[in-house]
Amino acid sequence: IDSATKSVDIAVYQMDPSYSPLIEALTRAKDRGVRVRILLSGTIYPPGSTNDNPRDVEILREQGFEAELSRPEFSFSHWKVLIIDAGTDNGRALICDFNLEAGYFGIDPQYPNEGDTRGMAVLDTDPRDVDMIARTFDAYWPPYKPWPANERPNLVWAPSNSTGDSTSCASAYPLEPVGNSRDIMLSLIGNSRTSLDVYAQALAEPSQLLQPLIDAANRGVKVRIVGNDGGINTDALAKLKDACAEVVINPTDPGGDGRVMYIHTKTIVADAGTPEAIAYVGSINPFLDESIDTERELGVLLTDATSIERILLIFDRDFESGQRA
């Protein structure tokens, strides 16, 4: 944010307007003439629960930023991205799986007895990717525009169904084009040959990607999963263990105090250590069907060996500190 010279565009599920490190950085940007636009989800999970996002949008506006709630076609606007200086030589996009609140960057002051939260992000500097993400953001920003077709196969978009409610939208633009998240995830899991290292914030049953994961384990792929206590359906867990998948929960806080760390990342690495290694990082929960089918989500595929090695260092650490499920 401090390096921005033209624009900062943020799309995120939730953002705390009292989180001072972020707000101070955005204020510095605004004060030097950078345009700051912030999009928060118009709906939150579970439906009917208290939604603070409308209030937070008003607070952000009072702080001097442009802020809006998301377009209403999707069940949730769950993508998480910071776009810096789109359309310039300095353009970058930070594609995240975490929200912009204190608890995602350290110990949450509201929950001092809980450990840190595991999250990941990718800094994408490819101008073609940045342009694609920026054009999608602009379609979200009033006045609404038609959705741009994805031209970047390494970007992973949801929803993959055109079943969202477009009738309530003030614009007349339907959920088109359909996202590629289902096909990408099926390919990532289905084409794995040696290993699958999976962070699962939640793993439901039914889940359209559970059986492909079981099939991979049954054909000899080494499947390791790091998840949360209570986040993995018991029937799904039994099926995974029957297929010899290794599942751990409750990895400890890397700060060394022994507190349990919450797994919020949804990262997957296939075939680590081989020339075919590939990783997914982003907001999509692969094992929650709604995330793939009806939510606005964004992720990215990585083949860069250094980045994948860095992910695996973290994954191995978390896996070894977890409890066998």
Side-chain angles (χ1 to χ4, degrees):
I1 293 171
D2 280 336
S3 71
T5 61
K6 175 189 174 185
S7 62
V8 176
D9 293 329
I10 297 174
V12 68
Y13 179 61
Q14 291 177 308
M15 173 175 163
D16 182 0
S18 68
Y19 181 50
S20 56
L22 176 65
I23 297 304
E24 289 169 4
L26 291 173
T27 299
R28 289 192 297 270
K30 176 177 62 70
D31 289 348
R32 64 178 181 268
V34 173
R35 185 183 187 190
V36 178
R37 297 186 294 176
I38 302 166
L39 282 167
L40 304 184
S41 181
T43 53
I44 64 168
Y45 184 86
S49 59
T50 301
N51 183 0
D52 291 331
N53 284 354
R55 178 207 65 188
D56 290 342
V57 162
E58 292 303 318
I59 294 172
L60 289 165
R61 289 172 177 171
E62 291 171 1
Q63 292 170 332
F65 309 118
E66 298 180 60
E68 299 283 349
L69 293 172
S70 62
R71 288 175 62 160
E73 293 99 329
F74 309 107
S75 58
F76 304 101
S77 185
H78 193 250
W79 60 325
K80 302 164 173 65
V81 63
L82 286 75
I83 312 162
I84 306 297
D85 292 343
T88 75
D89 293 339
N90 196 42
R92 288 147 293 149
L94 189 71
I95 301 168
C96 315
D97 59 32
F98 47 81
N99 294 301
L100 300 180
E101 299 178 330
Y104 295 91
F105 297 93
I107 301 297
D108 191 330
Q110 297 184 63
Y111 305 101
N113 295 322
E114 296 182 4
D116 287 328
T117 298
R118 172 64 72 218
M120 294 192 182
V122 172
L123 183 62
D124 192 333
T125 59
D126 189 312
R128 298 166 296 180
D129 292 350
V130 177
D131 176 69
M132 183 74 251
I133 298 168
R135 285 191 287 126
T136 303
F137 183 96
D138 285 340
Y140 241 74
W141 194 263
Y144 299 151
K145 305 173 185 66
W147 302 114
N150 180 37
E151 300 166 356
R152 303 295 297 153
N154 57 303
L155 295 179
V156 188
W157 294 97
S160 290
N161 281 357
S162 55
T163 56
D165 178 14
S166 62
T167 60
S168 64
C169 184
S171 72
Y173 302 122
L175 274 176
E176 295 290 346
V178 173
N180 60 354
S181 56
R182 183 186 298 107
D183 290 343
I184 291 290
M185 294 299 178
L186 287 171
S187 176
L188 181 68
I189 294 171
N191 291 334
S192 61
R193 293 294 175 263
T194 61
S195 64
L196 281 167
D197 295 316
V198 177
Y199 279 110
Q201 179 190 6
L203 201 160
E205 170 68 324
S207 162
Q208 57 197 296
L209 290 176
L210 174 59
Q211 190 59 49
L213 191 61
I214 293 170
D215 292 343
N218 281 330
R219 67 173 183 268
V221 175
K222 183 178 181 179
V223 176
R224 298 188 298 170
I225 301 170
V226 177
N228 295 303
D229 189 8
I232 300 176
N233 175 274
T234 53
D235 291 338
L237 177 61
K239 293 175 183 178
L240 287 164
K241 293 173 72 172
D242 285 345
C244 295
E246 299 178 78
V247 184
V248 303
I249 58 172
N250 293 346
T252 57
D253 187 327
D257 58 13
R259 287 180 288 188
V260 171
M261 179 172 55
Y262 184 70
I263 299 301
H264 192 262
T265 187
K266 308 94 169 65
T267 299
I268 299 175
V269 180
D271 298 335
T274 75
E276 292 75 35
I278 187 169
Y280 156 78
V281 177
S283 66
I284 302 163
N285 280 288
F287 305 101
L288 296 180
D289 285 352
E290 185 173 32
S291 184
I292 289 177
D293 290 344
T294 67
E295 296 178 12
R296 169 51 83 203
E297 307 271 17
L298 172 62
V300 63
L301 297 177
L302 300 171
T303 55
D304 172 66
T306 301
S307 297
I308 293 175
E309 288 171 6
R310 185 172 184 182
I311 294 171
L312 258 295
L313 283 172
I314 301 297
F315 184 93
D316 287 344
R317 183 261 160 217
D318 293 344
F319 187 84
E320 292 304 320
S321 74
Q323 305 167 9
R324 293 285 173 167

